[in-house]
Each structure stands twice: as C-alpha cells, then as structure tokens.
Amino acid sequence: MNTLQKNSFFNRFFCENSFKGGLSKNRHGLAVYRKFYTPKLDVYLNTNERYFYEEKPSSTTFFLFYLPCGISFAIWVLLLLNFLVVIFTDGSFYWPILLIIPIYSFIAVNFLGLTYDRVKFKGAYFDRKDQKVSFTWKIENASEFDRFGNPTFDWKDIECHTKNEFAVLGIMKAFIEIRHKNLDLYPNAKLTINASGDTSNPVRCFMEWESIVRHMQQDKPLPDTPEYELYRELDPITKSFDESNGRPKGFWTQFSLEQQREIEEQIFQEALKFDWSEGKVQPEITKPWEVWTPDPKRPPKPRGMFTMIMLQLVFCYPE
C-alpha cells in the first residue's frame, strides 16, 4: 500500500449539486416529521462548510435501511400490472391498492426520516473547524468523543493509503484506506472507500483524497465547487475571499446538473493526463466564472413540490 501525502497537486475539485431544495419545516411533502424534528445527521451531512463526510458503500445496513423503498416500488409495479390486466383482459381492478400506496408511503417516509440518524452507517467525517476526524462506530481504546458521541481523532494523526484488490471476474478495484497512524493502539480506526470503481487506475483515489485534504486546509477558502455553493458565506475565510475575489453570488446554481457532469468529466480527463508522480503542484482555479459559463439553453431545474411528493410516493424517498 502507498501512503498519500497531505497535499494537493492536481488542484481540481468538483462535485455536482442538484440544488433540489431539501426538506424543511415549510417544504416537506409527505415527510411531516420535519415540522417538529430535525435529524442529528443533518448537522454534518448538511453543514458542508465544516464537515466533509465519507461513507463506506455497500454496507448491509444501507441496504436494509432502503428495503422499504424497494417494497414501495414493487407495489407500484403491481399497480401497473393490475392496470394492464384490466385493459387487456376481463380481470377486475384491485381498488384497495389505491389506498395502500399512500398510507404505506406516508408511514415509510416518516419512519425512515425519524430513524435515519439512529441507524449506524459506517462512515467518517472530517471537521474543518476543529481539525478532527470522527468515525461512526466503536473504536477500541478511543478516549475522545465528539458532540455526536462518536470517537474522534486529531487530523494530524490520520493517514491515507491506496490499495488494490481483485473483484469479481478478476477486475482490479482501487481503494483508499483512511486510518489512524497508530493501528496497534486503534486497530479498527480505519475506513476503506471504493473511490475509483472497477478499474486499476488509482486517479479517482488521488482526487478523492485531495478533496479531503483541501477541505481540511482551514487557512484557505473552500474550493469553488457546486457542493460548497450554499455554504460559502458560512465559512469566514471563504466569505472574505469571495468578496475580495469579485465572485458572482450563487454562481454554480446557474448550472444544470447535466452541464455540471460534463465539467466533472472534463476535469477527470485532465486528471488522467496529469503526472501524479512528478510532485508538481498545479495552480487552483479560483475564478471558475472565467473558465466556465452556464448554458442558457440548459437552465437548472430545481425539484418542484409535485416531483418531490411523487418520489416520496414511489420510492419512499424523503427528498
């Protein structure tokens, strides 16, 4: 395994954001629990100016948690099949299903919302303000805990390693392992993240780690990317920098998700050509409005209330 440096060389950061609106006390659809309850996880999942969250994919808990969504989708498939039977045969329509769907969706949406932060997903979050890294599971010998009750460690004691493993059909997959430098004392203080998909190319691993490192550099403004757009004014250094830099307010909110993905792909293609072994530091793009402009023919489409409610009905997806 190779140890990655706590430095940014490529200096191209980008993560799409649909700016769909989110849930609130006044915008919740079927998720009425939001009128009186705000999940604790919102603090570090929706506070990007401070927390950078990484979650281990393919966890059993994740699939079990979203099982109600799959059940809801299956019920809608049965509804469609019932319609087809009525149209093309002499079969009768099962009317109770029209009552079952909204009742089930309403219960599932609110149940998932109320239990989300009570289910332990395996992940780590990086606290830019306090320069801490917390893991969401019990760490042997851990003595310090954050305000969420999770074991936390100093950022200076965290390392990142890359490793490759053979997956199904002999395909090589690249991973990054974020861990405490003293695994003898904290043997399970480590999180493995699949950052590159089914490829032997570690470029996405490098980019993922650089994004974390850059987030933790509290003496610099946050990277100018869509994921930070709604949080820039909440970080004092970033706010001051944007004012002196002449940054257009809400710049990334003018870009459609489609255009953002094109930019992200463009940056990835650049990363493939970048010489990561040379140690050369590429200047960061601090004025993206001079590099990219929003396409007026493809304006962003924020998620409307009707779309949000339909997603809640079909997939039991709160937002």
Side-chain angles (χ1 to χ4, degrees):
M1 291 194 296
N2 297 319
T3 303
L4 301 182
Q5 298 180 45
K6 283 183 178 174
N7 201 351
S8 331
F9 298 99
F10 182 55
N11 276 319
R12 294 290 182 272
F13 312 99
F14 200 91
C15 185
E16 68 184 45
N17 190 327
S18 64
F19 304 106
K20 57 190 177 185
L23 293 177
S24 66
K25 290 184 178 181
N26 299 317
R27 184 183 186 275
H28 51 75
L30 299 181
V32 296
Y33 74 92
R34 286 308 295 262
K35 290 182 72 70
F36 58 87
Y37 178 75
T38 300
K40 296 176 184 176
L41 283 184
D42 272 15
V43 177
Y44 59 83
L45 291 182
N46 296 319
T47 318
N48 291 12
E49 80 282 358
R50 178 171 179 178
Y51 297 107
F52 188 104
Y53 183 67
E54 285 282 7
E55 185 173 275
K56 183 178 181 179
S58 304
S59 67
T60 305
T61 307
F62 180 86
F63 286 111
L64 288 175
F65 190 80
Y66 284 97
L67 181 61
C69 306
I71 294 174
S72 178
F73 181 73
I75 295 174
W76 277 88
V77 171
L78 291 176
L79 174 63
L80 177 62
L81 292 175
N82 197 187
F83 269 125
L84 294 176
V85 168
V86 171
I87 293 173
F88 296 105
T89 70
D90 294 329
S92 59
F93 184 75
Y94 184 66
W95 292 103
I97 199 171
L98 296 180
L99 189 62
I100 292 172
I101 287 177
I103 291 176
Y104 174 82
S105 297
F106 178 82
I107 294 173
V109 164
N110 287 279
F111 174 78
L112 291 176
L114 288 170
T115 57
Y116 189 81
D117 59 350
R118 291 173 173 80
V119 177
K120 283 288 186 181
F121 290 93
K122 193 170 185 179
Y125 48 94
F126 301 79
D127 187 338
R128 170 180 168 94
K129 180 181 177 182
D130 291 343
Q131 293 294 288
K132 295 283 188 178
V133 179
S134 300
F135 297 95
T136 60
W137 64 92
K138 184 178 179 180
I139 303 294
E140 189 177 338
N141 299 321
S143 58
E144 187 178 353
F145 300 87
D146 62 18
R147 57 179 171 150
F148 308 110
N150 293 317
T152 188
F153 304 92
D154 291 333
W155 165 241
K156 63 182 177 61
D157 294 328
I158 299 298
E159 297 178 340
C160 181
H161 299 261
T162 60
K163 61 180 184 179
N164 296 312
E165 293 179 4
F166 283 104
V168 182
L169 302 177
I171 298 173
M172 183 73 77
K173 297 184 75 173
F175 300 85
I176 56 175
E177 184 178 86
I178 297 168
R179 68 190 195 187
H180 195 281
K181 65 181 182 182
N182 189 350
L183 282 184
D184 292 333
L185 182 60
Y186 307 108
N188 62 328
K190 56 184 178 180
L191 177 69
T192 300
I193 302 168
N194 175 10
S196 62
D198 297 333
T199 174
S200 59
N201 195 321
V203 167
R204 288 200 187 275
C205 289
F206 300 153
M207 295 177 72
E208 189 73 16
W209 178 239
E210 281 204 1
S211 295
I212 295 172
V213 170
R214 183 64 182 76
H215 174 85
M216 295 298 282
Q217 293 174 335
Q218 59 181 182
D219 60 328
K220 295 182 180 180
L222 292 165
D224 205 327
T225 72
E227 67 176 325
Y228 290 114
E229 180 63 67
L230 302 180
Y231 307 91
R232 300 188 66 82
E233 291 189 352
L234 301 178
D235 181 74
I237 292 178
T238 305
K239 181 180 179 180
S240 176
F241 177 80
D242 287 351
E243 290 173 352
S244 62
N245 198 36
R247 185 183 191 275
K249 190 175 180 62
F251 172 67
W252 290 112
T253 60
Q254 305 171 65
F255 287 75
S256 65
L257 200 57
E258 180 186 7
Q259 190 177 4
Q260 289 182 46
R261 287 171 179 165
E262 290 173 1
I263 295 172
E264 195 166 22
E265 178 61 25
Q266 176 189 334
I267 290 174
F268 178 63
Q269 292 303 318
E270 274 186 57
L272 292 176
K273 299 174 184 177
F274 185 74
D275 189 350
W276 295 86
S277 63
E278 194 176 68
K280 178 183 177 182
V281 177
Q282 183 172 230
E284 187 175 339
I285 296 177
T286 57
K287 294 187 176 183
W289 53 91
E290 295 182 351
V291 182
W292 298 289
T293 54
D295 186 350
K297 296 181 180 179
R298 295 183 294 175
K301 299 176 181 178
R303 183 173 295 165
M305 183 65 74
F306 175 78
T307 304
M308 180 180 71
I309 292 176
M310 286 306 299
L311 284 172
Q312 291 172 339
L313 282 171
V314 178
F315 297 106
C316 297
Y317 182 60
E319 170 54 56

